[in-house]
Amino acid sequence: MDTYIGLGEAVMVQKPGSENWDTDYYTTDYDTAEEIDKYAKDVTKRIAEEGITLMKNNGTLPLSKGQSVSLFGRRSVDVVWGGNGSGAGDPAQCTSIQKALQDEGFNVNDTLTKLYSENLDKVESMSYTMDKPSAMTYYIGEFPMSYYNNSVTASYEKYHDAAIVVLGRQGGEGMDLCSDLKGSISSGETAMSNDVAETKNYEDGQHELELCKEEKDLLKHVEENFDNVVVVINSANVMELGELQDDENVDAVLWMAYPGSRGTVALAEILDGKINPSGHTVDTWPRDLAADPTYANVTTEKYSNTDGYMIEYEEGIYVGYRWYETAAAEGVIDYDNAVVYPFGYGLSYTSFAQAITDVKENGNNIDVTVSVTNTGDVAGKDVVQIYYSAPFNGDIEKAEVVLAAYDKTDDIKPGETKEYTLSFGKDTMASFDYKNAGCYVLDEGSYIISVRKNSHELYGENCEYEYVVDSKVVYDSSNPRPTEVEAQTGEYVNYSDEWKANHQTVAATTKFDEQNAHFEEGKSTILSRTDFASTMPTAPTADDLKAADSVVANFKEYKPDYYDNADEKPATGKNNKINAVVLRGATYDDPRWDALLDELTEKEMTELIYSGNQGTIPVKSIGLPMSNATDGPAGLKQYGGLGFGASGNFNCCGTLVAATWNTDLATEYGIAVGNEAVIAGVDGWYAPGCDLHRTAFGGRNFEYYSEDPVITGKTCAATIKGTSSKGLTTMFKHFALNDVEAHRIDNGPCVWANEQAMRELYLKAFEIAIKEPVAELKYLDEDGNTQTKTMRSSLGVMSSFNRIGSVWSGGCGSLLNGVLRDEWGFLGTVVTDYNGYGYMNVEWGITNGNDLMLANASTLPSKIADTSNASSLKYMRQAAKNIIYTHVNSNTVNGLSDGTTLEYKMAPWRMAMYGVVALFAILGIVFLFSGHKKKSKNVIKVEVEN
């Protein structure tokens, strides 16, 4: 109850002489909640302005102001504002497409909008039930042609300037989009029925991300009645749009991922040219998703000999554009037939030219300067995309092109030229050789650095530069990558100079032997550039679905194996009179940490570790207040937000943020959420999502940014930079390999990927988001003087439900300690995803780097068996330190200084409960007394009668 409703009012008493110390470490940029909300909604609109992507245009767009238009399609009124589950928000905040168009001066066909809005419940559409596939339905829900009667079609004459058709798909937490609609019905995997009109039209093998018959019929109907046809794709998941691109009667296509509260306003302004679109795709849009190498392993499959599921990433590094560009270079595919819209693709109402003007080597960095000229007639923004092509000799898998760096330009006027310098590390071009060297290797040879319109097209002349590596560089333990040195001992790493001087850098070397062994010769195949044809991924065989003995063993109940007689029992319950806030801004190795941790009792440590749901409990012995955390990626909501049961701004989805290719906007997004958090008293945010769009069918793709780790990591990092400036800790998620939702809670599915794919794709996104964000931290010295320091500001990570191989991610020491802390230098808290399942064992977690349980102590399925054991106390103490370190460097301690005493008044819910208990007690006494009197009379009466 304290977690969900809240403790009583916190009463802080400052020590004498400290009353005037400035303890407002974080303040809002605006005076009122209304102003903060206005700013947040403005940021949402500006993100949509730069994220909505023009995919096709024959000159029909922009439309003229004042035109009369007809809106078609279910999604024209039933807009997908956000995803389901943790990505949901408050639709009441959102501006309908109809209103947005009308406010922009368009005349909108009201007959059509009424047709859809008044009949939504009569046409079956998707129904969502988290983590229950058998209760889920995947109906597209488009209206059949029988609804377009004469009275409807008669309305077209008055609103005939253009038809705008809105088509959409919605994803959600605990679900994936359906890769076989008809098959899922026959197998009973969903609650869909053959009796629904839509399902009678399904064809064998049809999936949810291709146009259904009703959508095709609608498009045909619209084309027969309108000269100008614009299609808006309201989906965060890639769809098959080859038919739209090829259809000469479809004049324009716009992609609008989930737009949140004000994205539709931007859509209207793009349609009439008030805003020049500058969004670019963050995924490859293939013609046939079933031909993608990930399709054979698109979802989890049940093991035959143990209670668990598995999925194999047999495509290796060849995900998204890495596959299509490499397969085209090797002559395996016809690119123009295979791809409709490349990664990084986007059109504009103007045109641009780009060229490389300078390349310089600056230490480990390569600085590339690019000129951008607006060669068209209207002002607009473009994206500078730098790729590299590494030499391939057959030893280590390498994609044909890889995104190295990017930037969004300013608004450039017609005829104007601006220059932009982009940098990336030379060592980031290295490939991870898990088979031989066991580390990153930069092969000798020519690396072609190129400026491209998208992953497939050079921008023009003077857009390539040859960078030569004279001899092979092996980044092993004796020669760590410069990025590792910086991550562990750099300027903003919060360790003392002495510690840094004595630290031996930990190189990125092989740490996932179980994963690598899974793909050894004779076992599961990994897609290889040396022979794409014979190594194409296949669906799991019976042998694949028989778990190895070691896997079966890890599916059994966890048994503690960490006790060490050599461990010394640490001190507990000391009265050292050190408040946690004193260590705000202190280095992680400050000796005062030991004195503080000595004050904690066993009970305080376990209660802190166990109770991490929607925040943490107060630790009174060290003056650490209760913290408040909340979902989700669409903004502050659930039990936090701007008041109990209320929501902050309904933000647009992560995919739309990434589609801006503008990290400054992502930072503003973080600042907006941070402002809401300060005024709402929230200091932890279960967001953003940092996994990849491995397949188009991922139910949570809307939370995640892209198929590419660079744009994913940098967008996430920029968001964290913004939130941390307001003291809001992002528990960005889900670390790691959480790219599929099916059966995620069924004992945690085993995810099998080789270490090259893990490091170059799935972990790299998180690596960037850990290493890059920094913020200025304000703290007080012992005399109450304000001091500041700039330090890395990623202080929270959420582990995932799934397993890394057969080991639960939250219990995977190689991941959480070996990579996250040792290699990347992470300082802070790792929290589980919701811990309501036995396999997410507390001891498995805290002994391997997972500090906090997203749970309530009363419902947590597992506990520490022996909290007095020296080994247990060692790990409890470390977990507690990480949690406290995170909170003292966040807005949890706003208003606190050294010597502040903190007490909580009785919570209103407790008062009410005690009142109810007292009332029932009084009623009980009255009842018993009256009952006794009646019983006595009855006894006397009986005795008299006898």
Side-chain angles (χ1 to χ4, degrees), residues 90-130:
D90 179 12
Q93 298 183 17
C94 302
T95 304
S96 71
I97 295 178
Q98 180 185 14
K99 185 177 188 307
L101 290 172
Q102 289 172 334
D103 289 348
E104 192 58 21
F106 290 100
N107 300 307
V108 182
N109 187 340
D110 192 48
T111 299
L112 280 169
T113 54
K114 285 182 178 179
L115 164 70
Y116 297 122
S117 60
E118 293 175 359
N119 292 283
L120 286 175
D121 59 344
K122 297 176 184 177
V123 180
E124 290 274 8
S125 64
M126 170 194 173
S127 65
Y128 171 73
T129 309
M130 186 188 298

Side-chain angles (χ1 to χ4, degrees), residues 686-740:
Y686 301 145
C690 201
D691 292 285
L692 298 188
H693 298 172
R694 173 181 168 261
T695 82
F697 295 90
R700 252 169 144 167
N701 280 9
F702 67 93
E703 288 192 34
Y704 307 144
Y705 296 110
S706 169
E707 70 187 22
D708 178 75
V710 170
I711 195 168
T712 295
K714 288 186 175 294
T715 308
C716 188
T719 304
I720 294 170
K721 177 183 176 182
T723 59
S724 62
S725 71
K726 297 299 177 184
L728 177 62
T729 299
T730 56
M731 301 292 183
F732 72 105
K733 55 189 183 183
H734 305 85
F735 193 54
L737 302 181
N738 190 86
D739 311 289
V740 63

Side-chain angles (χ1 to χ4, degrees), residues 699 813 816 906:
L816 302 182
M906 184 178 290

